[in-house]
Amino acid sequence: MAKPKVYVTRIIPDPGLSIVKENFDVEIHDSMDYPPSREEILEKVKDKDAILCLLTDKIDEKVMDAAPNLKVISTMSVGYDHIDIEAATKRGIYVTNTPGVLTDAVAELTIGLLLAVTRRIVEADQLIRKGEWNKPWSPLFMTGPELKGKTLGIIGLGGIGTAVARKVKGFGMKVIYYSRHRKEDLEKELGIKYVDLEALLKESDFVSLHTALTKDTYHMIGEKELKMMKNTAYLINTARGAVVDTEALIKALKEGWIAGAALDVFEQEPLPPKHPITKLENVVLAPHIGSATIEARTKMAEMSAKNLLYIFQGKMPLSLVNKEVLNIRPLEKIKML
Ligand code: GLV
């Protein structure tokens, strides 16, 4: 039997790439650093049974319509806001993602950003490099708030939000959370408290976002919400840029509604070099590197490859986003390996 045809939109790390090459008839966009153009995607998917993509590739109805044989979209990411899930499900296309394997990497970066923005680590580094460390040790030089005893408000208590809660317990922080689903077992285990969004914004010294981007969470943090936060509070975003209304955030940071922010994700990525947020001093910026540990990226690539492989072997993938698809195109009908 002919092997299923797969379009891989980037050179991904091994063993992921080798798994795909060994088992499929593969066409790869030959770059690790740059995604294919929209035109290239539309052209390459025409005869493919599957796509292995990244979060930089928009996979919408137009792409699906261009690919009449498409059965699987495997994304090497936990987020899947770049894929039209409803359109995929309607067409019997399986969508898989890579949760779990990047949880600790993102949680670690979140804590790194929290420390960077409160202890002014980036600012301190720049001060020395600019030759501005021109006075001896002094009592209030470069001071910022301590984490111990402060309240961290987590929005979205999925895997990553939970990992952050677990890790900050070691810092002696109090954790409150707001999530679509209340998790009473975790409340007991971690000593954390469920509150509504308004209470979370009002009570937290730090607010950390860990929710997926959906039509319900788009601009969930806007002017009204930022105004509810303490003027000494910090906002950390390692989720998706569009969960926050960027213009409102810039206003909040300029006018002192909040003390600062640390952002790994943006509404527009890459962030244009002259973007107004780059001019603000009370912000730490990172270029979407939440999952950028060697371990996480290697496992994400492997998991995205195995998701594809399992489906074409007629088995359940490691993580299926649209479970309803099982009723539309049962796994035994997709088995080609
Ligand atoms: C990263 O942002 C991911 O969704 O995996």
Side-chain angles (χ1 to χ4, degrees):
M1 202 176 1
K3 289 177 177 174
K5 290 185 193 307
V6 179
Y7 179 50
V8 182
T9 64
R10 209 81 73 86
I11 298 172
I12 60 167
D14 268 331
L17 194 60
S18 310
I19 294 172
V20 186
K21 282 184 173 167
E22 277 158 27
N23 293 282
F24 298 97
D25 179 354
V26 180
E27 190 166 8
I28 304 180
H29 173 71
D30 197 16
S31 169
M32 188 172 269
D33 296 325
Y34 293 96
S37 65
R38 175 91 175 145
E39 293 69 39
E40 183 177 335
I41 296 180
L42 287 168
E43 177 58 32
K44 297 293 182 189
V45 296
K46 279 185 180 161
D47 60 340
K48 301 297 186 289
D49 297 294
I51 308 176
L52 195 161
C53 66
L54 307 192
L55 57 87
T56 43
D57 308 309
K58 187 175 163 81
I59 310 294
D60 56 9
E61 290 212 85
K62 198 160 173 208
V63 173
M64 297 177 208
D65 286 344
N69 299 336
L70 196 65
K71 298 165 194 72
V72 185
I73 300 164
S74 167
T75 183
M76 184 187 140
S77 60
V78 63
Y80 45 82
D81 47 285
H82 53 298
I83 303 170
D84 186 336
I85 303 297
E86 213 180 294
T89 309
K90 248 197 289 174
R91 290 165 171 76
I93 299 170
Y94 286 62
V95 180
T96 64
N97 67 338
T98 61
V101 293
L102 45 56
T103 299
D104 286 302
V106 182
E108 285 173 12
L109 187 85
T110 304
I111 289 160
L113 289 174
L114 188 59
L115 288 167
V117 73
T118 53
R119 301 306 302 275
R120 305 165 63 178
I121 297 171
V122 180
E123 191 187 335
D125 175 275
Q126 284 171 358
L127 174 129
I128 294 181
R129 289 174 200 272
K130 283 194 269 177
E132 289 173 7
W133 190 17
N134 47 21
K135 58 179 181 189
W137 190 97
S138 70
L140 289 176
F141 178 54
M142 280 277 152
T143 47
E146 201 157 295
L147 299 187
K148 184 159 184 207
K150 300 279 167 51
T151 299
L152 173 69
I154 293 179
I155 298 183
L157 198 73
I160 297 170
T162 305
V164 170
R166 247 181 239 290
K167 291 183 199 294
V168 300
K169 286 272 127 185
F171 285 91
M173 297 184 84
K174 179 180 160 199
V175 177
I176 56 179
Y177 79 99
Y178 167 71
S179 207
R180 248 180 328 155
H181 305 290
R182 211 178 143 172
K183 309 211 168 133
E184 291 180 38
D185 49 338
L186 285 173
E187 288 173 29
K188 281 202 197 89
E189 185 195 332
L190 300 173
I192 62 179
K193 193 174 108 195
Y194 175 85
V195 291
D196 64 27
L197 183 59
E198 187 171 333
L200 182 136
L201 294 166
K202 287 183 173 162
E203 287 172 30
S204 298
D205 298 299
F206 311 98
V207 173
S208 192
L209 304 175
H210 299 287
T211 180
L213 174 62
T214 64
K215 56 181 180 339
D216 298 327
T217 63
Y218 176 81
H219 283 192
M220 169 186 208
I221 304 297
E223 245 188 77
K224 180 167 136 250
E225 290 73 24
L226 289 160
K227 280 190 170 148
M228 285 180 189
M229 288 173 66
K230 296 180 185 176
N231 60 10
T232 50
Y234 292 78
L235 180 72
I236 317 291
N237 190 3
T238 54
R240 282 292 182 267
V243 174
V244 179
D245 175 346
T246 310
E247 277 185 28
L249 178 61
I250 291 173
K251 225 162 139 188
L253 290 164
K254 273 190 181 158
E255 295 178 11
W257 311 348
I258 63 172
L263 311 169
D264 182 45
V265 287
F266 303 89
E267 293 201 69
Q268 190 185 355
E269 293 181 6
L271 191 67
K274 294 205 168 98
H275 191 283
I277 206 144
T278 63
K279 307 288 178 265
L280 304 177
E281 284 184 355
N282 49 352
V283 192
V284 169
L285 305 169
H288 203 149
I289 53 170
S291 65
T293 63
I294 311 280
E295 291 87 344
R297 291 286 167 85
T298 305
K299 287 184 201 145
M300 287 162 75
E302 180 175 2
M303 186 166 174
S304 64
K306 285 188 173 164
N307 278 334
L308 270 188
L309 181 63
Y310 291 175
I311 293 178
F312 285 104
Q313 287 174 337
K315 298 193 294 215
M316 273 302 278
L318 298 165
S319 177
L320 180 60
V321 172
N322 55 346
K323 307 223 163 32
E324 315 85 308
V325 78
L326 293 162
N327 303 321
I328 296 168
R329 194 198 304 258
L331 274 168
E332 52 281 12
K333 290 228 164 108
I334 232 176
K335 191 170 178 317
M336 290 171 76
L337 291 171

